[in-house]
Amino acid sequence: IEITLQLLARFGVQVQREGWRAFTIAQGATYRSPGEIHVEADASSASYFIALGALAASAQAPVRIEGVGAHSIQGDIRFVDAAQAMGAVVQQGPNWLEVHRGRWPLRAIDLDCNHIPDAAMTLAIMALYADGPSTLRNIASWRVKETDRIAAMATELRKLGAEVIEAADSLTVYPLRQVRAAAIHTYDDHRVAMCFSLAAFHGLIDGLSAPQPLRILEPRCVAKTFPDYFETLFSVARAEVADIPVLTIDGPTASGKGTLAAEVAKALGYHLLDSGALYRAAALAAQEAGLDAQDEAALAALAAQLPLRFEPGRIWLGDRDVSEAVRREDIGALASQISAHAAVRDALRQRQLEFRRLPGLVADGRDMGTVIFPDATLKVFLTASAETRAQRRHKQLISKGISANLDTLLQDLKARDARDQSRRTAPLRPAQDAQLLDNSALSIEASVQQVLVWWAQRRPFK
Ligand code: DC
């Protein structure tokens, strides 16, 4: 109601009010354009980034939030006061905020949160970083939101290792003193997902044992108000590269690793690296430039400056979509030849490493587990027989309307295997710690399930 009244006033309509009992608009009142009006961003969504600034941003590099600020008329903008009370340093302009860490650890608070019920969930997470127990009061409305939020917050905070006291209309949260790897259930509640992501910064707490990974289950529930919340968070937060999980899937040509990797990446919500596509794109560019497949120096120079860009399911070379072209058989064969050169592999190495971004990566190729990501959490090596793989490739080509001969394919494939396995640099072979998977008799779904089971076994979540 306050927002409506304020907005009416901005358009020249004065409302007479008797408290919350009656509102009167004069007959004949008309809107007058204010000339320019700023449509506010969502203050509740801003709360996560205000908290992030208070936890992790320095004065030199504050978190800047655009769209809300001193002129905002949404109730949840009062979260700024609460964050300041806990120690955040906040600078504000009419429509922006800049936030960085002030007091550390944060100051514990005891606050009536009736006026900021949604944003107060963020305070419950900030309380993990405080110097004593914090109590959020007058939050009975939490019990009748997307889920019973008091019960949900208490349960999930305890999973992390926090001590929590739950009452009918309040919540007391103690600072985190020990931490466990936790998979946070989100109850189809966007705010549970968003606020718990801020618990992932617990490595900043002094004296806590080694940081633990945090998993947010069903993260897509953020779509209710902030569909790209995690992408936004990952755009301002960085992780140690070694902490970003990687799953590698290596194997010979036509073993189905591309399909398997794509499905696994989708299931985990991770990025995907099809490293073969890099070699194929380099081969395509080399062919078009008329380079000799033995000219290692020229090929490496070309590979180093390839204007390559990956989009989900698409590959661009400069302003050309080469997604189809790189899949050609002749390009695959040429890729196999040029990839035997150490200098070409070096030239493409950094680009592959750059795919390791939050929240994680599934990488497929020949040397993902042995050379590029030797510290991967799980390494899978596919071992389908040459005959099975030739049949698969044959079916694939026929379905695309390309004529193919099974025997020729089998011979080509064996030749390619031999070359990939016998080359001096990064030969195709399973990493010592790889899980072997013969998918000759497995459906794609069964292979995906197997890999996900191995993955679950290697992650610390119950
Ligand atoms: O996986 P693919 O068929 O798209 O790969 C094409 C060629 O690229 C393959 O024959 C060998 C080379 N390659 C490589 O040497 N190392 C990788 N990590 C991926 C592919």
Side-chain angles (χ1 to χ4, degrees), residues 257 275-276 279-280 336 339 345 366-367 416 420 423:
K257 58 191 180 336
S275 61
Y279 290 96
R280 285 168 178 269
S336 161
S339 63
R345 304 196 75 83
R366 302 291 189 285
D367 61 343
R416 177 112 59 108
D420 289 351
R423 69 185 177 211

Side-chain angles (χ1 to χ4, degrees), residues 2-8 10-11 36-46 50 65-80 92-97 225:
E2 288 281 11
I3 293 175
T4 305
L5 296 179
Q6 293 224 32
L7 211 51
L8 285 170
R10 284 187 183 178
F11 281 84
E36 195 169 289
I37 191 144
H38 172 77
V39 179
E40 285 183 32
D42 183 51
S44 321
S45 300
I50 296 169
I65 299 159
E66 295 185 339
V68 292
H71 287 181
S72 293
I73 57 180
Q74 300 163 76
D76 268 350
I77 196 67
R78 296 273 65 81
F79 177 83
V80 170
Q92 34 189 319
N95 307 315
W96 57 263
L97 301 168
T225 50

Side-chain angles (χ1 to χ4, degrees), residues 101 104 129 176 179 198-212:
R101 187 200 268 190
W104 193 255
Y129 302 85
L176 206 55
V179 64
L198 297 169
F201 295 87
H202 62 256
L204 298 168
I205 299 173
D206 296 324
L208 204 65
S209 52
Q212 296 295 321

Side-chain angles (χ1 to χ4, degrees), residues 118-352:
D118 284 352
M121 291 168 75
T122 312
L123 294 175
I125 301 296
M126 289 174 78
L128 297 173
Y129 302 85
D131 55 4
S134 294
T135 301
L136 311 178
R137 298 185 191 280
N138 207 356
I139 51 171
S141 69
W142 279 22
R143 295 217 183 263
V144 290
K145 297 276 187 163
E146 278 79 343
T147 182
D148 178 342
R149 284 177 167 168
I150 297 185
M153 292 300 288
T155 306
E156 303 309 311
L157 281 164
R158 285 178 187 133
K159 274 189 199 164
L160 275 175
E163 195 181 322
V164 181
I165 300 170
E166 177 190 344
D169 68 344
S170 73
L171 194 67
T172 298
V173 181
Y174 285 74
L176 206 55
R177 292 279 171 258
Q178 47 162 8
V179 64
R180 284 193 294 266
I184 302 299
H185 186 57
T186 46
Y187 308 84
D188 203 19
D189 183 341
H190 56 141
R191 299 210 181 282
V192 175
M194 293 190 281
C195 74
F196 267 94
S197 68
L198 297 169
F201 295 87
H202 62 256
L204 298 168
I205 299 173
D206 296 324
L208 204 65
S209 52
Q212 296 295 321
L214 178 78
R215 175 178 280 174
I216 308 284
L217 299 171
E218 311 293 343
R220 289 195 181 88
C221 62
V222 299
K224 180 165 186 181
T225 50
F226 203 153
D228 56 351
Y229 173 75
F230 290 103
E231 289 76 5
T232 308
L233 180 65
F234 296 152
S235 74
V236 289
R238 262 173 298 280
E240 298 284 347
V241 171
D243 287 337
I244 301 176
V246 180
L247 191 167
T248 60
I249 301 179
D250 287 307
T253 191
S255 56
K257 58 191 180 336
T259 313
L260 178 60
E263 290 296 319
V264 170
K266 199 166 124 205
L268 296 174
Y270 283 4
H271 298 283
L272 177 67
L273 165 59
D274 167 7
S275 61
L278 282 164
Y279 290 96
R280 285 168 178 269
L284 179 69
Q287 192 191 59
E288 289 176 350
L291 296 185
D292 178 352
Q294 296 315 316
D295 190 345
E296 179 162 359
L299 290 165
L302 177 86
Q305 46 86 35
L306 274 187
L308 256 191
R309 197 160 50 80
F310 287 82
E311 277 172 15
R314 307 264 81 168
I315 306 166
W316 296 81
L317 196 55
D319 52 12
R320 256 170 70 213
D321 182 344
V322 294
S323 321
E324 302 299 325
V326 298
R327 306 253 50 103
R328 280 180 1 224
E329 284 299 298
D330 60 324
I331 296 301
L334 184 57
S336 161
Q337 285 179 43
I338 69 165
S339 63
H341 299 304
V344 172
R345 304 196 75 83
D346 278 349
L348 293 176
R349 185 191 176 92
Q350 186 54 33
R351 289 180 197 242
Q352 297 174 68

